[in-house]
Each structure stands twice: as structure tokens, then as C-alpha cells.
Amino acid sequence: MSSPILLAVEDLTVSFDGFKAVDGLSLYLERNEVRVVIGPNGAGKTTLLDLICGKTRATDGSIKFKDLELTKMAEHQIVHKGVGRKFQTPSIYENLTVAQNLELSYPSGRTVFGSLFFRRTPKINQRVREIAEQIYLADDLDKSAGLLSHGQKQWLEIGMLLIQDPELLMLDEPVAGMSVVERERTAGLLKEISQNRSVLVIEHDMDFVKDIAHKVTVLHQGKLLAEGKMDDIQKNERVIEVYLGH
Ligand code: ADP
Ligand code: MG
């Protein structure tokens, strides 16, 4: 049987000219878990995702994804091993359609002739339709991505990660700027996708966090301040003092 732990971060530290943005942090993420990381601005949340996806190199500590040591691997290798990461601003191709954006992200969607020649096999078409259904864009497949609403662009980018079938999906403030309805649909989407993968989310919207989080990790000055169920986190005096009370 495989271990229930998908990601093990241990004693992770990154120092920028002596300033520790992440400082001796350990956290363990289980398979099919939705974990939300919260904390004040500058706490090190985005830096944590940068370290996991290989964008930033750790100064010390380890990041184990299954049996792989990610601190030793390049960014593209980490993606290839099944870690997908969504940045705060969507990076979609605005002048291409929703379907084309998804096709381009399909692992073998790019042919040797370049990105304009899509290999539209029945298998790829079906996968594109499945994903479009999941991200609430089934009726917009032929629409230019540039014409989507802000929330729909965020969903499209999530879809572009999902089509690569990652085992760990990381999202940095996915509902910032979304309408209430879009937030609810995003919560539904994350709950559904976590049925066969783990999700690590950074978010500030506490109603959203409460809705989706299995467990919450609170960061403060690069360190772990608290961890547990949202109900307990909301009552934690130190968390209220440094974050929730503001
Ligand atoms: P959060 O996402 O929790 O708001 P960040 O992870 O973006 O915080 O940043 C944590 C701290 O690390 C901040 O003080 C930020 O200025 C600093 N920081 C992040 N990246 C770098 C970098 N590449 N070089 C220097 N300082 C950085
Ligand atoms: Mg951030």
C-alpha cells in the first residue's frame, strides 16, 4: 500500500541575503487532501509554493513528493512528475479559443511542427470536453479566451493544469477578484478535483477557506504558527492576534 503522505516538507528554509522568508517549516500533505495556507502578507506563503515547484531553491531542508526529493530537481522535471502550480495572474493565450488553450496544455498536444498544429485525436477531444465540463466552460469551447470573465479565465487556467493530470495541484489566491457565485463554483471545483489528487491553496477569503479546507496551516514570518481544523484555527488566540483579528 502506498503511503498516505503525498508531500512531506521538512525543516525547509530559504534565505534571501540573510532574510529567512521561509524558516524551518515542516508540513505534511495527505493524498486527496485540500490544505489551505493562510497568514499575513509577507508570511512566506507564495515563497513556499515557489520552493515546492522549483522556481526558488531551498537554502536548507527537504521537500519529498512521494519518494522524490524536489529540492534537487528542475522546475520542468517537477511538473513532469505531477506537480501543477497556478500563479496569481492567469497565463492563458487570450487570442486562442478555450479548446485551443486546453489542447495546448495536453501533455502531447504540441506537435514537433510547433504549437499551431494541434494533434486533434478523438482522445484529446474527449479529454478537452471533460475538462471544459468540469471548469464550467463546456458551452464556451470555441470562444476566444480573451472574452472570458476574470473568474472564467482563472477556471481555464485550472483546466490547463488539470488536463496534465497532476497529483498535486497548487493554487495561489484563486478566488481573488471573483464574484460570490464564481467563488462558490470554484469551491465546488476544488472539492471535486481533490477526490483523486491533493490540493494546496493559498487564500485570504475565510468563507472560502472554511468551505474547502480539510486542514489549515497558518504561516507567520516564515514559520508555522498553527495548524489544524478551521474551527480550531479560528479560535486560536495567536492566529487571531497576528492575522484573523485584522
Ligand atoms: P506572502 O505570499 O505570504 O504574502 P511572500 O512569500 O511573497 O509572502 O514573501 C515573503 C517575504 O519574502 C516577503 O518579505 C518578501 O518581500 C520576501 N521575498 C520573497 N521573494 C523574495 C526574493 N526573491 N528575494 C528577496 N525577498 C523575497
Ligand atoms: Mg503571496
Side-chain angles (χ1 to χ4, degrees):
M1 214 189 85
S2 58
S3 159
I5 304 292
L6 182 70
L7 181 80
V9 172
E10 291 186 322
D11 293 322
L12 188 65
T13 298
V14 67
S15 171
F16 298 118
D17 296 324
F19 169 74
K20 290 178 177 174
V22 170
D23 187 2
L25 181 69
S26 296
L27 73 87
Y28 301 87
L29 186 69
E30 294 194 2
R31 288 171 196 274
N32 307 336
E33 180 182 348
V34 179
R35 175 73 59 94
V36 183
V37 178
I38 65 172
N41 282 331
K45 305 180 298 294
T46 297
T47 305
L48 171 64
L49 297 200
D50 289 345
L51 288 162
I52 297 169
C53 78
K55 186 170 174 256
T56 297
R57 288 279 145 217
T59 309
D60 216 339
S62 93
I63 305 170
K64 280 239 164 61
F65 174 69
K66 300 185 284 186
D67 57 346
L68 303 162
E69 179 55 58
L70 299 189
T71 54
K72 306 268 186 289
M73 288 167 56
E75 217 173 338
H76 70 274
Q77 291 175 305
I78 295 173
V79 170
H80 188 72
K81 293 296 180 188
V83 178
R85 190 259 176 97
K86 186 191 166 317
F87 290 86
Q88 270 170 283
T89 42
S91 53
I92 56 173
Y93 300 95
E94 302 243 338
N95 55 339
L96 298 182
T97 66
V98 168
Q100 288 169 332
N101 269 281
L102 291 171
E103 283 163 7
L104 264 179
S105 306
Y106 189 84
S108 58
R110 270 172 229 250
T111 71
V112 288
F113 304 109
S115 55
L116 288 175
F117 295 84
F118 300 117
R119 223 184 321 146
R120 277 210 182 86
T121 65
K123 195 176 149 207
I124 296 179
N125 276 333
Q126 197 201 323
R127 189 79 182 122
V128 166
R129 279 198 303 272
E130 275 169 22
I131 297 289
E133 192 83 44
Q134 257 192 318
I135 59 173
Y136 315 113
L137 292 176
D139 295 333
D140 300 295
L141 276 170
D142 297 321
K143 200 182 212 176
S144 257
L147 298 176
L148 299 174
S149 74
H150 167 78
Q152 289 175 320
K153 286 179 185 172
Q154 301 282 336
W155 294 338
L156 177 56
E157 201 182 3
I158 294 174
M160 290 163 71
L161 293 167
L162 284 178
I163 205 160
Q164 300 171 44
D165 205 18
E167 281 180 84
L168 170 61
L169 186 62
M170 304 194 290
L171 308 164
D172 199 345
E173 304 191 18
V175 301
M178 280 190 183
S179 68
V180 173
V181 174
E182 286 174 337
R183 281 168 198 233
E184 284 168 2
R185 299 190 102 184
T186 305
L189 171 61
L190 295 191
K191 285 180 204 171
E192 191 184 312
I193 65 185
S194 68
Q195 283 170 15
N196 51 7
R197 75 191 85 237
S198 304
V199 183
L200 187 57
V201 193
I202 296 172
E203 202 33 81
H204 286 290
D205 179 321
M206 285 308 128
D207 292 327
F208 180 78
V209 175
K210 213 170 181 163
D211 191 8
I212 63 163
H214 297 158
K215 252 167 126 182
V216 176
T217 295
V218 189
L219 293 191
H220 179 49
Q221 296 176 344
K223 294 193 177 77
L224 183 78
L225 183 74
E227 190 169 271
K229 300 267 180 224
M230 186 59 174
D231 287 342
D232 297 323
I233 292 295
Q234 282 184 305
K235 289 182 224 142
N236 183 304
E237 281 180 19
R238 293 197 65 206
V239 177
I240 293 168
E241 192 185 316
V242 308
Y243 181 58
L244 292 178
H246 294 270

